[in-house]
Amino acid sequence: MVRAAVLLLAVALCRAATLDSELGVGKSINIFMRYGYLSICMRVVPRNDTDGWVFREPTVSVFRDVDRFVVAPKPRQAKTLFDGDFHMEFCDNLKQLLQAYFRDFSFERLERPWRAFTAGWPTDIMARNLGINSSFINGDHCYVLVRVSRFRETAKLKDLPTNIAVEDVVYEAIDETLIGDTVSIADFVRKYGSHYIASYITGNSLYQVFVFSRTAYSMIKERLKSKGVADITAKELEGYFSPWQAKHIGQIKVASGNKTVESWAMKRLRVHYYIFSYPSLLKLHGEPALLRNLDTLLGNEALLQLELKTLSPAFKDAKKKKWFEEVIDNYLKLWESNM
Ligand SMILES: *[C@@H]1O[C@H](CO)[C@@H](O)[C@H](O)[C@H]1NC(C)=O
Ligand SMILES: *[C@@H]1O[C@H](CO)[C@@H](O)[C@H](O)[C@H]1NC(C)=O
Ligand SMILES: *[C@@H]1O[C@H](CO)[C@@H](O)[C@H](O)[C@H]1NC(C)=O
């Protein structure tokens, strides 16, 4: 009697221990669950809530001893002014802009991972998340995305070997799936997920979208391509990203939505021209003092990069693995074309 009770308790604890919403390499998630709305559970754009979560998607432990495959992160160099990345991306249309924003998110077997975040955004939410007026979402416009990202935490797994051990419950669940039976795979995915986290970076970023007419855009793109940003004077660069060239200058947004950082950016990153002023992330270009400031201001509050791979390595039988991949492919195609 006592023995049975203890056993039951032990089982209950094991089950509880495998399901949480911790961001960790090797953990598995079901990307079908919130396809199109992933930003509800992963902080990738500013949100209205003040809770400090970065990632709250339910995850499951599928592999055993996955820590053995963790790649040690590179230590930060002592002299680095800013530990992160500052870049500018030219986008011919809205699709390319969304693609650029989610450039560092890759989900194996998914051709357009950015759709998994943005497919469910109506025009006004899209405009708010990009920091631009909604009148520039539809119609013929070109965009430049400027972003400065501060990395805080990075984690990465090596490629998992095909003989990697899986948790007992997962082993049993895979045993119960049947080749040719789509529903059995769907059941498995619902319980244990479709993809595992192969790498991620958290931190925070500032970003800004500039909207251009096709003519101005082509001229600036050509000019920067032939000379390179480093060889252009700060004045010339400022001119390209000013209200005289751009149709619309978006707000400077903070990925985590942190209001302190937002108001710092609003005050410090303004270009003044007589009585007139506008926000510009390009002010950071060649201003070490501002960058140094930002290095401390941007905390560990948002998800900046995420690489997901399918749970294929959990399947040991070659035929079953192939069937799993086939079902995942078909589902993903369906999701990508229907959302
Ligand atoms: C965000 O919060 C503000 C203030 O609480 C509220 O007025 C606004 O409607 C909220 N926006 C959304 C999209 O929830
Ligand atoms: C912003 O959008 C609104 C409606 O979407 C429009 O009425 C307004 O003129 C736009 N502002 C600018 C500066 O384009
Ligand atoms: C916002 O950022 C500031 C500056 O880095 C930090 O002190 C503060 O704790 C952050 N606020 C939230 C709610 O995370």
Side-chain angles (χ1 to χ4, degrees), residues 3 25 104 118 144 148 211 220 324:
R3 225 184 107 89
V25 283
D104 296 326
T118 63
V144 175
V148 52
V211 187
I220 296 168
F324 169 76

Side-chain angles (χ1 to χ4, degrees), residues 50 258 260-261 296-299 301:
T50 48
N258 184 309
T260 314
V261 182
T296 51
L297 277 174
L298 296 175
E301 299 173 3

